[in-house]
Amino acid sequence: MNMKITASALAIAALSATAASARDNVQIAGSSTVLPYATIAAEAFAENTDFAAPVVEGGGSSAGLKQFCSGVGENGIDIATASRPIKDIEVAECQKNGVTDIMEVRLGYDGIVFASSNTGGDFVLTPSDVFNALAAEVVVDGKVVANPHTSWKDVNAELPDQPILAFIPGTKHGTREVFEEKVLIQGCKDTAAHDALVAAKGEDEGEAACKAVRADGKSVDIDGDYTETLARLGSSPEGVGVFGLSFYEQNTDKLKVATMSGVTPSTESIASGEYPVSRPLFFYVKKQHVGTIPGLKEFAAFFVSDAVAGQGGPLATYGLVPDPKLADTQAAVEAETVMAAK
Amino acid sequence: MTDAVSAGPRRVGAQGATRKSLLVADARTRRRNAAETRFKAYGIVAIAIAMLALVFLLFTIVRDGSGAFRQTFIDVPVTIDAAIVDPKGNRDQKDMAGVLTMSYGSMLEKSLETWVAQNNVQIEGLGKADYASFYSSQARATLRDMVLENPEIIGTTINVPALASSRVDGMFKGRVTAESAEIDARTSLAQFRLAEAMEEKGALTTRFNWDFVTQPDASDNRAEAAGLGVAIIGSAYMMLIVLVLALPIGVAASIYLEEFAPKNRLTDIIEVNISNLAAVPSIVFGILGLAAFINFMGLPRSAPIVGGLVLTLMTLPTIIISTRAALKAVPPSIRDAALGVGASKMQTVFHHVLPLAMPGVLTGTIIGLAQALGETAPLLLIGMVAFVTAYPSAPPEGLFEPASALPVQVYNWTQRADSAFFERASGAIIVLLAFLFAMNLVAIILRRRFERRW
């Protein structure tokens, strides 16, 4: 039958093609925060060089690093992007699977902002306010009690009289860790709740209680991405959402940003370190693929070049906070410096 | 008897059904008729709800997505400045290629500034940033390609339509208004007024945009340039693989099971498992594809071949079930007659039964394909949800090169920050629906044309 001949011809062609074709494009996967930056860099790389266009996938920092560490060879990805530094346990996993030479590249910084619908009141927040509004247990009159606050006004008289409703990133997001560390735990310490909680529950439990958010529906975990948070704010305009700075800047026609400790988030205030809630963004290059995958090193260098990741470059236009020490990073990529073994 | 008749129809109900008049409905008949009327009403309500939902869905998609097929272009003459594109002045291709697209932006800004000065347009607060963000960054790339391909244009002023940025484009689609432009960090009221002035003077036109269907995806910075080209090719390749693999395998399996296999416990188990397979959630096939095709067989990620194989597995049960139903529907008399004149069993099947079952087989296959075309979940794990800007080459090599797919492109775009991508996602849904509609139409035509009744 004709159809059978076609089928077997295809199968043969398939086998011969696998044998013949070597991958000529860089493959990237990882953080959904870094994804837009990686796509912008990949697009610019493809149109400015003769190398094949890199393929970029999202999926999350942890998923990307897991794939990255699964082994060396053409079927694995070449670059993992991450919105947090690689963990020791992940490095160990990499080592076990033969991914021994990893280049860590910091491409810039990302701010995390609180924003509300621009129809509501103005928020002038501090980590303490956020902690008092969202923590599971707070200290009132020296006693540890379940969070009694229902309006932002209860927390701080200067805040608008709006019911507390916050949309925060779910636990699978890298953003959540930064939110816990730089806002909740900071606020916990600032309000002296930290000592009270540690005194009441012991060292470890007290630490954990600092970052435990209330579960009575006033703080909502968003497991999707920022578009979902934005949609939630659209349906409940009295809420406050946590966003990446770049996402907020794309949607300033719908959102109003909150100041944190008196500082308005912007690429400038984050670069200078004034705005407290920010984090570095990374990508990790499998050095063992440099040389076998064409354009891998060139792409890494292009990604952190001044024209791309520097001041006024396309990544900064999108909302990346350029790294003041970009030159060091560029030198490290040029020298193919690998991470020290742990 | 006579007493009963004289008692009149009023007492019929009480005395029994034998004495009712045909012209006057009794209580029970009325009840039955009422029940029927009620049932008809329920049916009509059910259909009305379904139709309303469909109309609502189509209406919102068309409302949100039709804008994606139109795009705003800037028709302002651009002077190619030799100092920018060829700083060494030697017209050497290699040196000129060293000038990155980012440097081309200033030429576009300058041309716009010149236009504003020449046309005597006065707008309060119009600044450098408004010029810079007026053009799409795709326009720089287009310009650079033109210069590298055709270095004679350096130093001359050329007239080439350039893409406007997604915010400027949004002003002509109702996405950006004067109020929203004022508070939007990505645009400004001055830019809004400039766009209005330019449109009035014919330097800004919104027209039908084939690029949306033919061009590859673009990054988050240039929503206005994103297209479906790679996704359509990727989906077409996958459908090709599904057709070439699933149709022969599915038909062979069902012919054997239906016509040749003995009826015993083993075939019963196989039969039940095929039905089970049809009900397996599609994400499971994605996990299987990742483990079997990528990790074990070493096929490349993001490639249509892997997507096609996964979707083949998913479509097989649908094809087998519908093929078996079509074979069963061929009357036994056909088989008996063929066998009676001395045909072998195989001749009977291939000369008589299969041709008669073909419309059913093809309908099942096309519906299976249409299902596979719209499937997203199994593609998530095998790397098809990727940002791919290069077209795959022609098959067979192209099957192993990275590509996207229509449904995952929709998924991809809905996650991006710029609201222009939402419009494009809805536009992509329109394209996807058009393909599904065409496929279902073909299925109906095939069935109508070749169906035989006995």
Side-chain angles (χ1 to χ4, degrees), chain A residues 87-108:
Chain A
K87 291 174 185 158
D88 289 354
I89 189 168
E90 287 164 336
V91 175
E93 178 72 18
C94 266
Q95 303 269 2
K96 204 180 83 192
N97 293 323
V99 185
T100 46
D101 298 344
I102 307 169
M103 292 157 64
E104 182 177 67
V105 186
R106 189 178 59 216
L107 65 117

Side-chain angles (χ1 to χ4, degrees), chain B residues 165-180:
Chain B
S165 73
S166 67
R167 287 295 197 273
V168 173
D169 180 50
M171 293 170 192
F172 299 98
K173 293 178 181 170
R175 209 169 56 228
V176 179
T177 59
E179 293 80 48
S180 83

Side-chain angles (χ1 to χ4, degrees), chain B residues 174-451:
Chain B
R175 209 169 56 228
V176 179
T177 59
E179 293 80 48
S180 83
E182 209 170 351
I183 48 175
D184 194 334
R186 299 267 146 173
T187 179
S188 64
L189 195 57
Q191 200 175 49
F192 187 82
R193 298 280 173 243
L194 175 61
E196 280 181 340
M198 287 177 74
E199 199 215 5
E200 207 172 287
K201 295 202 156 59
L204 209 56
T205 46
T206 304
R207 50 180 179 254
F208 190 79
N209 179 31
W210 271 114
D211 289 352
F212 177 62
V213 191
T214 58
Q215 289 300 305
D217 192 8
S219 72
D220 293 51
N221 253 352
R222 26 181 114 154
E224 60 282 349
L228 286 168
V230 173
I232 290 176
I233 295 177
S235 277
Y237 282 5
M238 290 197 296
M239 290 306 108
L240 187 74
I241 294 166
V242 174
L243 186 68
V244 166
L245 293 179
L247 184 62
I249 297 175
V251 170
S254 20
I255 288 178
Y256 178 77
L257 280 175
E258 199 57 41
E259 304 286 337
F260 294 94
K263 287 263 168 277
N264 57 25
R265 181 161 282 205
L266 185 66
T267 47
D268 281 349
I269 291 175
I270 292 176
E271 205 166 305
V272 168
N273 276 309
I274 287 173
S275 309
N276 279 344
L277 211 55
V280 167
S282 53
I283 186 83
V284 176
F285 289 103
I287 298 169
L288 179 77
L290 177 67
F293 300 128
I294 295 180
N295 292 345
F296 180 69
M297 283 169 64
L299 291 171
R301 286 182 70 80
S302 309
I305 183 82
V306 182
L309 289 171
V310 168
L311 293 178
T312 300
L313 292 179
M314 220 195 71
T315 318
L316 259 181
T318 316
I319 293 184
I320 294 179
I321 290 169
S322 65
T323 304
R324 292 191 64 182
L327 290 172
K328 251 186 217 145
V330 176
S333 58
I334 304 268
R335 292 185 187 82
D336 294 344
L339 291 171
V341 296
S344 73
K345 204 157 183 191
M346 186 155 155
Q347 283 173 322
T348 308
V349 171
F350 282 99
H351 294 175
H352 302 284
V353 180
L354 191 58
L356 289 172
M358 220 48 193
V361 175
L362 291 178
T363 312
T365 308
I366 291 169
I367 288 171
L369 277 181
Q371 221 174 47
L373 179 66
E375 198 56 69
T376 327
L379 304 180
L380 291 175
L381 291 164
I382 56 168
M384 295 298 286
V385 189
F387 175 75
V388 185
T389 50
Y391 297 104
S393 43
E397 296 88 37
L399 302 180
F400 295 86
E401 290 169 9
S404 185
L406 274 173
V408 299
Q409 194 69 69
V410 173
Y411 172 76
N412 234 334
W413 282 346
T414 50
Q415 294 185 315
R416 298 204 184 160
D418 190 334
S419 59
F421 277 112
F422 182 75
E423 175 187 286
R424 289 190 120 66
S426 301
I429 295 173
I430 294 178
V431 173
L432 185 60
L433 285 179
F435 277 108
L436 291 176
F437 183 73
M439 286 170 89
N440 286 333
L441 201 67
V442 169
I444 290 173
I445 290 172
L446 280 177
R447 199 163 48 211
R448 280 280 159 82
R449 179 155 291 185
F450 297 109
E451 196 169 45

Side-chain angles (χ1 to χ4, degrees), chain A residues 11-316:
Chain A
I12 293 163
L15 287 174
S16 55
T18 357
S21 80
R23 181 151 66 82
D24 63 352
N25 59 288
V26 176
Q27 290 203 327
I28 306 161
S31 164
S32 43
T33 310
V34 187
L35 180 67
Y37 303 120
T39 59
I40 291 168
E43 186 176 64
F45 183 69
E47 68 193 19
N48 283 305
T49 64
D50 293 330
F51 292 107
V55 171
V56 191
E57 285 179 59
S61 304
S62 305
L65 283 167
K66 194 176 162 204
Q67 259 188 58
F68 181 79
C69 289
S70 64
V72 178
E74 258 183 46
N75 284 305
I77 57 171
D78 311 308
I79 294 179
T81 58
S83 53
R84 56 168 173 78
I86 191 168
K87 291 174 185 158
D88 289 354
I89 189 168
E90 287 164 336
V91 175
E93 178 72 18
C94 266
Q95 303 269 2
K96 204 180 83 192
N97 293 323
V99 185
T100 46
D101 298 344
I102 307 169
M103 292 157 64
E104 182 177 67
V105 186
R106 189 178 59 216
L107 65 117
Y109 291 87
D110 176 41
I112 292 169
V113 305
F114 286 80
S116 53
S117 162
N118 58 16
T119 51
D122 288 323
F123 283 88
V124 184
L125 296 171
T126 63
S128 316
D129 293 340
V130 178
F131 173 78
N132 277 331
L134 299 181
E137 290 170 306
V138 293
V139 177
V140 177
D141 301 330
K143 277 194 286 268
V144 175
V145 292
N147 197 333
H149 306 301
T150 55
S151 163
W152 286 100
K153 219 176 169 61
D154 299 345
V155 174
N156 184 339
E158 284 169 31
L159 289 172
D161 190 11
Q162 267 175 245
I164 294 173
L165 179 62
F167 301 104
I168 63 172
T171 43
K172 73 165 198 174
H173 286 279
T175 318
R176 174 65 171 261
E177 275 172 47
V178 184
F179 171 73
E180 285 174 353
E181 187 192 332
K182 302 248 164 116
V183 183
L184 287 181
I185 295 180
Q186 185 64 42
C188 187
K189 287 179 178 154
D190 291 352
T191 54
H194 183 257
D195 296 339
L197 284 167
V198 168
K201 302 188 179 218
E203 187 75 37
D204 290 347
E205 293 264 312
E207 284 286 344
C210 264
K211 58 181 185 184
V213 294
R214 59 202 298 183
D216 55 359
K218 295 199 164 41
S219 167
V220 183
D221 277 17
I222 302 288
D223 277 329
D225 44 38
Y226 295 136
T227 43
E228 190 188 335
T229 314
L230 183 66
R232 291 291 198 97
L233 282 186
S235 52
S236 13
E238 75 279 14
V240 177
V242 175
F243 295 95
L245 176 71
S246 57
F247 191 93
Y248 157 72
E249 290 207 327
Q250 290 280 347
N251 290 285
T252 44
D253 54 336
K254 303 175 200 88
L255 295 174
K256 185 154 64 174
V257 77
T259 60
M260 181 62 73
S261 308
V263 185
T264 310
S266 68
T267 46
E268 292 79 25
S269 61
I270 290 166
S272 66
E274 271 177 272
Y275 184 77
V277 197
S278 71
R279 57 167 166 191
L281 301 176
F282 298 93
F283 66 92
Y284 294 89
V285 183
K286 219 178 261 179
K287 194 186 163 189
Q288 285 135 306
H289 283 190
V290 174
T292 50
I293 304 294
L296 177 54
K297 190 184 169 188
E298 287 82 355
F299 177 71
F302 184 82
F303 204 158
V304 290
S305 65
D306 286 332
V308 178
Q311 208 68 252
L315 300 189

Side-chain angles (χ1 to χ4, degrees), chain B residues 63-75:
Chain B
R63 184 197 58 195
D64 295 339
S66 54
F69 295 92
R70 296 169 75 246
Q71 206 64 45
T72 307
F73 291 88
I74 305 164
D75 293 302

